[in-house]
Amino acid sequence: MDFTLSEEHLMLRKVVREFAAKDVLPTIKACEPRHEFPRELLPKMAEMGLLGVCLPVRYGGAGFDYIALGIVSEAMEWADSSVRETIAVHVGLNSLPIFQWGNEAQKQKYLVPQAKGTKLACFGLTEPGAGSDVAALNSRAKRVGDKYLLSGEKMWITLADEADHMLVFAKTDPAAGHRGISAFIVERGFPGLTTGTIEGKLGVWAGNTGWISMDNCEVPAENLLGKEGEGFKIAMSALDNARFTVAAGAVGIIRSCLEASVAYAHQRETFGKPIAQHQLVQQLIAQMVQRHEIGQLLVNKVGRLKNRGARNTRETSLAKWYCTEAAFQSASDAIQIHGAYGYSNEYNMERHLRNSKGAVIYEGTSQIHQLVQAQYALGFKTDKPMRCELPAYDPDYWQAEA
Ligand code: CAA
């Protein structure tokens, strides 16, 4: 597999990395201690095309490929997880499923403003009693005339209190297990919908995490995404996209930790010489280099599979599992190298440590991903063709106006 980046990819990476360093990081440093969502970054992110980076121009996107989604995620999470999470949820978990599963009317109504960044979108799957076990979700949807009435509670939802549109999952046929789940596009303002913010998280203080409550929430029947009963597959295919951004973002955290550790190791002296000369510090740095390189390879492979339109559930799961654990370990090691300074918020590592712990839990815990890997290896799990596959990247189609 050829991992060479194109001129366009290199230019995008340069521009987004500069944005992350000049605009995102200082904003986060100000917002994060106040637990504030960095809303002021959204217009600039939209203007740069980051909120529709891998969507076709005809749907308001920037016309880049799926590799570009990884590049942007890596560059943004180098600064902070909250901004990469916004892209993961808005693009990976909402816009791409609408692109993959939606009809033309849904694409025009919801995808176009989302890809342009004028509307923000989130994903309501997890519930107070159903996280890893998606099929156990308890929300219900009942068709009444030309509407569905949705009832239930969603929890740990990124952007719950910020999003204009939500992709919400509820059971239309509770007796049918995972095949009884359906997906709905819900707008803020639909009767019966309320949202709130969850306080007290260990990390991602600049990210909005909340709950969604639906009490006979009235959703027009035309807002059913895909067919009744396709919700589980829509959710899983969406997670194949967002987990890719989580993995790529984690590589950005490792890069941040590595850069800071190398700089500090040259500058800080103990026992009469820079700590860079101490072999135990060198070992920590070498391990970070190894994690960074392996993480990049796993992420690059997934981006290329997506571009080809090949199923990548196993490879994405592997990348997400490896990269998030590697980021958490790298943040811990970087703090160790920085000593007491690393433990303070003067540097970025303590924030990366708190943030990366979230990433080993959300979008499939490391334990779920180990089960997935074992099930593929043992032949218990195989990929079945879907009614709607994520389209392979075709530059002529993606970049054409209409
Ligand atoms: N794409 C499309 N279809 C898929 C699929 C995929 N990636 N993975 C599975 N399917 C299909 C299967 O082909 C199968 O189809 P049939 O009904 O035709 O047989 C069906 O879905 C069931 O598949 P499995 O038997 O493999 O499902 P499972 O129940 O054994 O395992 C699981 C599922 C891996 C445990 C899964 O439930 C899982 O990944 N859990 C973790 C969920 C998760 O990541 N949650 C976090 C959500 S993030 C959030 O909500 C908050 C936020 O804001 C980010």
Side-chain angles (χ1 to χ4, degrees):
M1 207 176 252
D2 179 7
F3 289 154
T4 315
L5 291 180
S6 67
E7 284 302 313
E8 290 77 22
H9 287 142
L10 291 171
M11 181 53 73
L12 177 72
R13 188 173 75 175
K14 180 172 180 295
V15 168
V16 183
R17 283 186 177 181
E18 280 172 8
F19 173 59
K22 286 194 190 135
D23 295 289
V24 179
L25 193 54
T27 306
I28 293 298
K29 289 267 194 190
C31 286
E32 217 259 347
R34 299 197 296 260
H35 294 237
E36 271 175 27
F37 181 68
R39 214 166 286 115
E40 62 267 42
L41 292 172
L42 293 177
K44 181 70 177 164
M45 286 167 70
E47 187 191 316
M48 292 170 73
L50 307 187
L51 297 175
V53 59
C54 58
L55 286 153
V57 169
R58 73 186 64 212
Y59 292 122
F64 283 103
D65 60 2
Y66 302 109
I67 294 170
L69 178 61
I71 289 173
V72 167
S73 300
E74 191 273 352
M76 293 295 270
E77 195 152 3
W78 173 91
D80 192 59
S81 301
S82 60
V83 282
R84 195 274 311 151
E85 282 185 4
T86 296
I87 292 167
V89 170
H90 175 83
V91 180
L93 290 175
N94 192 310
S95 300
L96 283 174
I98 293 177
F99 177 52
Q100 182 174 351
W101 297 88
N103 59 37
E104 193 54 32
Q106 290 169 336
K107 288 178 190 171
Q108 291 302 332
K109 185 166 181 190
Y110 293 106
L111 183 56
V112 170
Q114 289 176 196
K116 286 183 176 166
T118 53
K119 296 284 183 190
L120 202 58
C122 75
F123 181 80
L125 179 67
T126 302
E127 299 190 349
S132 296
D133 185 3
V134 173
L137 67 81
N138 211 23
S139 293
R140 298 283 189 265
K142 194 168 78 175
R143 175 106 192 216
V144 181
D146 59 356
K147 288 192 176 90
Y148 284 92
L149 297 180
L150 270 58
S151 289
E153 309 294 323
K154 300 290 173 182
M155 197 157 175
W156 309 116
I157 305 302
T158 305
L159 301 178
D161 237 5
E162 296 288 338
D164 303 286
H165 305 158
M166 308 165 188
L167 187 57
V168 173
F169 297 83
K171 284 186 175 160
T172 39
D173 182 0
H178 75 266
R179 294 193 181 127
I181 299 173
S182 302
F184 300 89
I185 304 170
V186 178
E187 286 181 40
R188 184 175 299 284
F190 280 179
L193 182 91
T194 43
T195 65
T197 294
I198 296 171
E199 311 286 351
K201 289 177 299 182
L202 173 69
V204 202
W205 293 349
N208 177 251
T209 309
W211 49 265
I212 299 172
S213 178
M214 300 171 294
D215 180 9
N216 281 320
C217 175
E218 295 177 25
V219 179
E222 66 259 26
N223 281 27
L224 174 73
L225 185 69
K227 296 181 179 169
E228 275 195 19
E230 283 186 330
F232 189 89
K233 288 178 187 174
I234 294 174
M236 288 298 127
S237 60
L239 284 162
D240 286 346
N241 300 323
R243 288 170 179 170
F244 169 58
T245 75
V246 177
V251 174
I253 290 184
I254 303 170
R255 178 167 63 88
S256 168
C257 292
L258 180 58
E259 286 171 359
S261 298
V262 165
Y264 191 76
H266 283 304
Q267 169 219 318
R268 174 76 179 184
E269 294 195 357
T270 59
F271 305 104
K273 55 184 178 183
I275 62 170
Q277 301 295 337
H278 296 307
Q279 289 185 338
L280 291 180
V281 171
Q282 291 178 1
Q283 182 185 44
L284 293 177
I285 287 177
Q287 287 167 344
M288 264 185 250
V289 171
Q290 183 189 46
R291 291 184 207 112
H292 184 244
E293 199 102 359
I294 295 172
Q296 274 184 319
L297 290 170
L298 292 171
V299 167
N300 281 336
K301 181 175 175 183
V302 173
R304 278 149 187 84
L305 289 173
K306 284 185 181 297
N307 271 6
R308 277 197 231 146
R311 272 293 284 279
N312 51 83
T313 303
R314 187 191 70 79
E315 292 83 354
T316 303
S317 159
L318 185 62
K320 192 276 179 189
W321 168 34
Y322 178 82
C323 294
T324 56
E325 293 281 1
F328 183 61
Q329 189 60 53
S330 298
S332 175
D333 290 350
I335 290 174
Q336 199 68 19
I337 290 171
H338 285 72
Y341 290 102
Y343 198 64
S344 83
N345 67 2
E346 182 180 341
Y347 290 87
N348 298 312
M349 276 73 62
E350 64 85 30
R351 197 175 72 255
H352 287 323
L353 184 81
R354 289 187 284 105
N355 290 352
S356 59
K357 186 62 194 173
V360 301
I361 297 170
Y362 58 60
E363 304 214 16
T365 60
S366 291
Q367 287 69 28
I368 285 289
H369 291 297
Q370 288 170 67
L371 292 179
V372 167
Q373 292 307 315
Q375 285 168 0
Y376 275 109
L378 292 163
F380 299 157
K381 198 177 175 80
T382 48
D383 292 334
K384 295 183 198 154
M386 279 180 282
R387 189 175 64 79
C388 300
E389 299 284 352
L390 185 66
Y393 178 70
D394 170 358
D396 292 338
Y397 178 81
W398 252 251
Q399 287 160 15
E401 285 294 333

